[in-house]
Amino acid sequence: MQDNATEVTAAGIARLAGVGRAAVSNWRRRHADFPRPVGGTETSPAFALAEVEEWLRRHRKLAEVPLKERVWQQLAGHPDGPVTALVHAGCALLLIHERPPVWLDISSGTDERLAALLPTALDEVLTPRVPGTARPGRTDRSRVNGQPPVNTPPAATPANPATPATPATPATSATPALAIPTAPRLLPSVPLLRGVAELAADRGARPTFEFLLGRHLDANPRQYTLTPPDLAGLMAALAGTPATVLDPSCGTGALLRAVADRPDRRLHAQDSSPELAALTALRLALHTRAPVHAAAGDTLRADAYPGLRADAVLCHPPFNERNWGHDDLAYDPRWEYGFPARTESELAWVQHALARLRDGGTAVLLMPPAVASRRSGRRIRADLLRRGALRAVVALPAGAAPPYSVPLHLWVLRRPDRTHAQPELLLVDAGRFTAEGRGGPDWPGVRETVLDAWGAFDRDGGVEERPGLARSVPVIELLDDDVDLTPARRLPPPADTDGAGRLADVRARLDETLRLTAELAPPPAEPVPSAASGRLPLTTVGELARAGALVMRTGGHGGRARVPVLTDHDVLAGTAPSGTLPESEEEPVLTEPGDVVLPVLGGGAVARVVDEATAGAVLGRNLVLLRPDPAALDAWFLAGFLRGTANHRQASSYASTATRLDVRRLQLPRLAPDEQRRYGERFRALDAFERALREAGRLGEQLVRGMYDGLTDGTIAPD
């Protein structure tokens, strides 16, 4: 049964058919039988997916909608929204993963039968896997499965006995993250669930959910703050191998998913967003056999686990929140180290994490760098140091996590036990591992440096000083008026015994590059005689694709792990593949030598020919790949003419804030193969000249920066 309620936008139609949005607009104007909008707005209409699919087949625009695209469009266009659809899909996938015969039995009949039987089947699976799941039909959520209610904070005691106690009043209550959907709620999702089951039969239940979740997160980048997998792995490694782990601001569950497995592991998660709490519960239930306790609610105002004493707390809290509960929680017992100022929400999360640890337990929190030095937090920082709770501050490279332009910090804390607190703090600065471009930091280098320093410090109580990288600082040195814990301000600069020698090497490479640039400079341009400058017959990329002279592919939204991704920034800057995409089972588009790659956003007249060094990379988002037939088209001829400014101008459309290129409208002349190669050789020479100029600029900047640093730190003499 096809779900006629599922809607798809013009962008979704373009993706289904493998064309640009302009082509969809042309179809609407030129074909009277094109499906009528069933929703959306006048500027962004929505169409029934079933009608669109039938029209595409009838007009031979599409042989068959790929299963993964059908499932994704059903999820994205679900009448109750994509998150509800994703939760329903996750529940069905968990049933398929845990009890496939039960799924086969209940899905063998009508849609109505499946919707009626599914809640009972889900109850049998979800209740043991996600304790506390609300059962269907229960209006009283104060007790779930005979267990005590999800907890809210107890009445707080005053920090000062002379001050009358004012109980903290939670603004919200924590509730179970998951509630088993009823049959009427499930019925609109049944076509989606059948498609999801078919996809899981091919890919597996866990990869199918990761694919759908990744596509949803990628389609809504501004709604979610994600913790990159490499950073999550580092934070989990710092925590060791705990049995009980809490993430009080779990987001999509990346931190708990990264925790090392052990037989007695127990996971606890909470998030203020009910959507994220539900998705995290399902994601973790599919990922691990450990019980997953998950709740939805404002952690600081309505803690779901006030009695928990975890072995570890991992947290990527929201940054710079003013409305975190400052007025409601003045006498909360969690503020053992001082009442945080309204502007110090991060220090409230630090103390919440410490309050949920057993004695000797470890907490690892991702923090903005300002928390290490803001004057409003210096008293709390000082008390954390005096009592031995704060054990390490790690400065990460820029690009480690959103916001990518800011070098964030990791704080490693221990709940003090009855032993004497160690009198030193470990400071690590991994800023040197920032990578050029937008590919993210050198994570292997970051991980090795941080874990080696923490392991030695945790074992011996101190580390051997590594200038510019790591140092264990006596707490007494930090307890000044500022209590500034920024690693870069407390570490000695890296020893550079051969700074002048390195700069001499850079200068030699720059001289050689400048010489090569002069050799590659194109000769003076010779004007074409007016009698020979007649307009050449033109064709378009779209016409060449229809004729089979080239194949056109667009960048994807996911791909295999650990495969380099060629991004639009890489194409514009002429650098090596540096990007990442959400991990999924989606089949990526891989580049081959001789491919021509163009960015479609930004308005720059750029086309890059893939060489052996770039071949094998995944094609990133906002890129189009053209794979010419060598017998019909020369790759350098194609790329050169596609870079023409006038060509780009006539093929671009303009929105209020962006320019988008319709690659199919780009033009190039119809020329014989020999003439194509003649143009191609000239374009190849221009590309070599351009790359030499770029390298000369990079070396020149490196030389200037090194000279400034050497003169100012005394390693280079001024004469």
Side-chain angles (χ1 to χ4, degrees), residues 43 51 117 181 291 315 325 336 377 380 417 437 462 503 564 594 631 637 679 715:
T43 57
E51 295 178 6
L117 296 178
C315 188
E336 296 181 46
I380 294 177
D417 52 22
L503 290 181
F637 161 78
Y679 273 99
T715 58

Side-chain angles (χ1 to χ4, degrees), residues 275-522:
E275 298 177 352
L276 290 177
L279 294 177
T280 291
L282 290 167
R283 187 182 195 189
L284 294 175
L286 282 163
H287 177 72
T288 178
R289 298 297 306 171
V292 179
H293 303 266
D298 185 329
T299 296
L300 295 180
R301 290 188 174 94
D303 181 16
Y305 312 106
L308 178 66
R309 292 299 176 263
D311 298 312
V313 175
L314 301 175
C315 188
H316 177 174
F319 297 162
N320 302 318
E321 280 199 335
R322 294 297 184 98
N323 185 27
W324 58 267
H326 178 272
D327 296 335
D328 302 327
L329 303 174
Y331 302 106
D332 195 288
R334 289 172 290 184
W335 315 142
E336 296 181 46
Y337 303 89
F339 181 42
R342 189 183 303 275
T343 57
E344 295 288 352
S345 63
E346 297 86 1
L347 292 179
W349 285 99
V350 164
Q351 295 189 75
H352 173 81
L354 287 167
R356 294 297 159 262
L357 286 173
R358 64 166 175 80
D359 288 349
T362 303
V364 184
L365 285 85
L366 184 66
M367 309 288 277
V371 183
S373 58
R374 279 194 299 242
R375 290 190 61 80
S376 54
R378 66 188 186 278
R379 292 184 179 178
I380 294 177
R381 292 196 299 272
D383 208 28
L384 289 169
L385 291 172
R386 288 191 192 98
R387 297 171 61 180
L390 182 58
R391 306 303 306 126
V393 176
V394 177
L396 296 170
Y404 290 107
S405 59
V406 178
L408 301 176
H409 287 182
L410 289 178
W411 282 27
V412 184
L413 304 108
R414 282 265 170 83
R415 182 170 180 82
D417 52 22
R418 298 186 182 276
T419 61
H420 180 68
Q422 298 178 17
E424 293 190 347
L425 175 73
L426 174 65
L427 296 177
V428 181
D429 187 357
R432 68 168 60 177
F433 297 103
T434 301
E436 295 185 6
R438 289 166 38 178
D442 172 14
W443 278 112
V446 173
R447 186 180 177 92
E448 180 182 1
T449 299
V450 174
L451 294 182
D452 284 354
W454 170 248
F457 180 80
D458 193 34
R459 181 180 61 253
D460 304 328
V463 295
E464 183 179 348
E465 183 176 293
R466 299 177 62 187
L469 274 180
R471 177 192 175 201
S472 51
V473 183
V475 165
I476 193 65
E477 289 187 17
L478 301 168
L479 297 177
D480 52 19
D481 289 341
D482 296 323
V483 196
D484 190 338
L485 308 181
T486 305
R489 295 172 185 162
R490 301 287 182 172
L491 293 174
D496 192 355
T497 58
D498 193 29
R502 287 190 304 103
L503 290 181
D505 179 64
V506 172
R507 175 58 189 265
R509 290 161 56 199
L510 176 60
D511 289 342
E512 177 63 23
T513 303
L514 290 173
R515 184 191 61 76
L516 178 62
T517 304
E519 293 177 359
L520 293 173

Side-chain angles (χ1 to χ4, degrees), residues 72 75 82-83 86 209-227 251-254 275-276 279 283 557 582-583 621:
W72 168 249
L75 187 147
V83 175
L86 194 54
F209 186 75
E210 290 294 325
F211 161 70
L212 295 174
L213 176 62
R215 282 285 290 268
H216 173 68
L217 297 176
D218 191 56
N220 303 276
R222 296 184 180 180
Q223 295 183 23
Y224 305 103
T225 300
L226 305 181
T227 307
T252 59
E275 298 177 352
L276 290 177
L279 294 177
R283 187 182 195 189
H557 289 72
E583 182 179 346
R621 293 168 290 181

